[in-house]
Amino acid sequence: QSALTQPPSASGSPGQSVTISCTGTSSDVGGYNYVSWYQQHPDKAPKLIIYEVNNRPSGVPDRFSGSKSGNTASLTVSGLQAEDEADYYCCSYGGSNNLNNLRVFGGGTKLTVL
Amino acid sequence: QVQLVESGGGVVQPGRSLRLSCAASGFSFSTYGMYWVRQTPGKGLEWVAVIWYDGSNDNYPDSVKGRFTISRDNSKSMLYLQMNSLRAEDTAVYYCVRDKDVSFDYWGQGTHVTVSS
């Protein structure tokens, strides 16, 4: 059982927007602005697409955006494209008091482009 | 460009040991903290070891503490994970990952570890 809760699946048609949620606690998501999101295509390594809640690494399209409210972070994919079909994982810093929660991941959301 | 290339995975019996290696290139390896992160179909993603940029400190979650040891050789831009007393639940794909801005900004391609008799 993952520390952060994500919906197992999400879907949308090309051109639409989809939002994926990531719910934690005040000890992780709600306590720090260190939420990151990763995109993983089949048989590939995860790829960083959002860091520090709402920052995009160089080369990541601005169709990907992140936000946070309280203990829930969100990833929005706008203008869906076929290549956006992938698994998406959130991750949060959980503090150093309990090393088991140094970094906590969500269980992943499979995004299907209809 | 940044490259992280893992090696050393394979099939090993429970209780045995395995050493993973990660060759880093394309960046100043000695200035970054590094992680090993594993992925299983059942438990998803889980960090299993972290080492400071200079090797002065390392940490582990309870699931592997006392069995896994992370190390690095900055002169060779190499990262290692020594895994002892392996269990079936350690079966996973193991990734070498760079830490930047409290996120995992570059991942290797992964190496498969299967613990089975």
Side-chain angles (χ1 to χ4, degrees), chain A residues 38 40 45-46 89 99-100 103, chain B residues 39 47 61-62 99 104 107-108:
Chain A
Y38 303 86
Q40 186 177 34
Y89 295 90
L99 288 177
N100 292 313
R103 303 287 176 92
Chain B
Q39 184 172 29
W47 76 277
D62 288 344
D99 183 27
F104 301 123
W107 300 61

Side-chain angles (χ1 to χ4, degrees), chain A residues 1-2 34-36 38 40 43-48 50-52 89 91 93 98-107, chain B residues 35 37 39 42-47 50 59-63 65 95 99-110:
Chain A
Q1 185 176 352
S2 301
Y34 289 128
V35 176
S36 50
Y38 303 86
Q40 186 177 34
D43 298 320
K44 297 291 187 182
K47 172 190 173 185
L48 177 68
I50 295 288
Y51 68 98
E52 291 178 351
Y89 295 90
C91 179
Y93 177 68
N98 180 352
L99 288 177
N100 292 313
N101 296 331
L102 184 63
R103 303 287 176 92
V104 288
F105 286 95
Chain B
Y35 277 76
V37 175
Q39 184 172 29
K43 287 194 67 178
L45 291 162
E46 177 189 22
W47 76 277
V50 57
N59 285 312
Y60 311 87
D62 288 344
S63 57
K65 189 177 293 184
Y95 293 101
D99 183 27
K100 183 174 184 291
D101 297 327
V102 199
S103 66
F104 301 123
D105 71 335
Y106 282 96
W107 300 61
Q109 86 285 355

Side-chain angles (χ1 to χ4, degrees), chain B residues 69-88:
Chain B
T69 302
I70 188 172
S71 62
R72 64 192 298 161
D73 184 339
N74 284 345
S75 68
K76 297 180 180 178
S77 296
M78 292 292 296
L79 182 72
Y80 305 99
L81 184 66
Q82 178 67 42
M83 303 185 295
N84 298 332
S85 303
L86 282 162
R87 306 167 180 169

Side-chain angles (χ1 to χ4, degrees), chain B:
Chain B
Q1 72 281 20
V2 173
Q3 278 199 309
L4 299 167
V5 180
E6 303 96 336
S7 59
V11 180
V12 62
Q13 293 179 328
R16 304 297 291 265
S17 298
L18 205 61
R19 189 196 198 202
L20 306 183
S21 299
C22 170
S25 61
F27 67 102
S28 181
F29 180 72
S30 63
T31 64
Y32 286 88
M34 297 294 296
Y35 277 76
W36 286 96
V37 175
R38 67 185 180 187
Q39 184 172 29
T40 64
K43 287 194 67 178
L45 291 162
E46 177 189 22
W47 76 277
V48 295
V50 57
I51 189 166
W52 267 227
Y53 69 98
D54 58 356
S56 61
N57 199 5
D58 56 279
N59 285 312
Y60 311 87
D62 288 344
S63 57
V64 306
K65 189 177 293 184
R67 300 188 299 121
F68 289 13
T69 302
I70 188 172
S71 62
R72 64 192 298 161
D73 184 339
N74 284 345
S75 68
K76 297 180 180 178
S77 296
M78 292 292 296
L79 182 72
Y80 305 99
L81 184 66
Q82 178 67 42
M83 303 185 295
N84 298 332
S85 303
L86 282 162
R87 306 167 180 169
E89 55 263 37
D90 296 319
T91 295
V93 177
Y94 285 76
Y95 293 101
C96 166
V97 186
R98 192 177 85 167
D99 183 27
K100 183 174 184 291
D101 297 327
V102 199
S103 66
F104 301 123
D105 71 335
Y106 282 96
W107 300 61
Q109 86 285 355
T111 187
H112 290 255
V113 173
T114 300
V115 183
S116 173
S117 55

Side-chain angles (χ1 to χ4, degrees), chain A residues 16 19 51 54 59 68 97 109:
Chain A
Q16 289 186 331
T19 297
Y51 68 98
N54 56 12
K68 191 185 83 168
N97 288 338
T109 298

